[in-house]
């Protein structure tokens, strides 16, 4: 899985990971806080090497989706936005001995809620700014049961109306495992 003579995966490699995030707090203006258990996955592709420092690679998210079922909201889905403006993610070597990596992932999401409170109609929202998840103490890459933390809450608004925030993802402690 690593480049010959190195610690990093080679350019072009695609890396699928399953993911799970339990008790995720989602604040919806119409009802307050709800808790969701998201399951799904992410697929990364190694795009290029990072020059300088100890080393690293740039990663592109080429597929990502998580879903949760909720008694009031129905199916709630976070899926990769259809935009190519999301920054490339990073996998950096922090230390060669002991082997330690920092993996910073940048996400742009569409949030679909099957039964939006107040209307019981489906609603599709977009994040108002790019979300970052991070694990800065990976011992192996791809991850094997490692937890990534969202760096700050992320707001969601109707597509085309980013000033009208109606929901906020407060935290997303997501466990990722390589899934070859």
């Amino acid at each position: 899985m690593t480049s010959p003579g190195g610690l990093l995966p080679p350019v072009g490699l695609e890396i699928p990971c399953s993911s799970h995030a339990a008790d995720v707090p989602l604040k919806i203006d119409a009802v307050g806080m709800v808790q969701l258990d998201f399951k799904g996955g992410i697929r990364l592709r190694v795009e290029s090497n990072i020059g300088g420092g100890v080393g690293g690679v740039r990663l592109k998210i080429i597929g990502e989706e998580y879903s949760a079922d909720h008694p009031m909201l129905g199916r709630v889905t976070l899926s990769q936005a259809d935009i190519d403006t999301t920054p490339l993610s990073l996998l950096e070597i922090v230390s060669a001995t002991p082997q330690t990596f920092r993996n910073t992932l940048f996400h742009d999401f569409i949030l679909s809620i099957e039964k939006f409170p107040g209307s019981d109609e489906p609603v599709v929202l977009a994040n108002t700014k790019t979300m970052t998840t991070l694990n800065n103490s990976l011992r192996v890459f791809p991850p094997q049961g490692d937890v990534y933390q969202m760096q700050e809450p992320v707001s969601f608004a109707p597509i085309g109306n980013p000033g009208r925030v109606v929901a906020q993802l407060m935290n997303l402690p997501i466990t990722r495992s390589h899934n070859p």
Side-chain angles (χ1 to χ4, degrees):
M1 185 62 58
T2 61
S3 58
L7 301 173
L8 297 167
V11 172
L13 182 69
E14 292 187 7
I15 304 163
C17 294
S18 59
S19 305
H20 178 251
D23 298 323
V24 174
L26 177 67
K27 180 180 167 195
I28 300 176
D29 289 353
V31 294
M33 203 70 71
V34 297
Q35 300 290 321
L36 299 167
D37 287 342
F38 283 106
K39 291 181 181 175
I42 187 170
R43 188 172 197 83
L44 304 165
R45 183 176 58 227
V46 181
E47 291 290 305
S48 62
N49 291 310
I50 298 171
V54 180
V57 293
R58 289 180 182 84
L59 304 168
K60 182 176 182 87
I61 297 173
I62 58 172
E64 184 171 28
E65 184 170 291
Y66 311 101
S67 61
D69 291 314
H70 188 272
M72 177 179 56
L73 305 174
R75 173 67 50 110
V76 178
T77 305
L78 277 171
S79 55
Q80 183 179 18
D82 291 332
I83 56 174
D84 234 358
T85 58
T86 305
L88 291 177
S89 297
L90 304 170
L91 173 64
E92 301 164 282
I93 300 172
V94 176
S95 169
T97 311
Q99 180 174 298
T100 309
F101 301 98
R102 174 178 33 249
N103 190 196
T104 309
L105 298 173
F106 300 108
H107 316 262
D108 282 310
F109 281 122
I110 298 296
L111 174 64
S112 303
I113 301 174
E114 185 179 30
K115 296 183 285 187
F116 196 75
S119 71
D120 277 345
E121 297 291 322
V123 167
V124 179
L125 308 168
N127 56 304
T128 59
K129 70 178 189 175
T130 300
M131 180 174 97
T132 303
T133 58
L134 171 71
N135 183 311
N136 61 8
S137 59
L138 289 174
R139 294 293 180 197
V140 297
F141 188 85
Q144 290 298 327
D146 294 290
V147 178
Y148 287 66
Q149 293 292 338
M150 188 170 79
Q151 297 305 289
E152 62 183 346
V154 175
S155 297
F156 287 87
I159 294 174
N161 192 358
R164 192 174 153 252
V165 171
V166 296
Q168 192 173 37
L169 193 61
M170 304 306 290
N171 195 5
L172 187 69
I174 192 159
T175 302
R176 291 195 173 96
S177 293
H178 180 55
N179 174 359

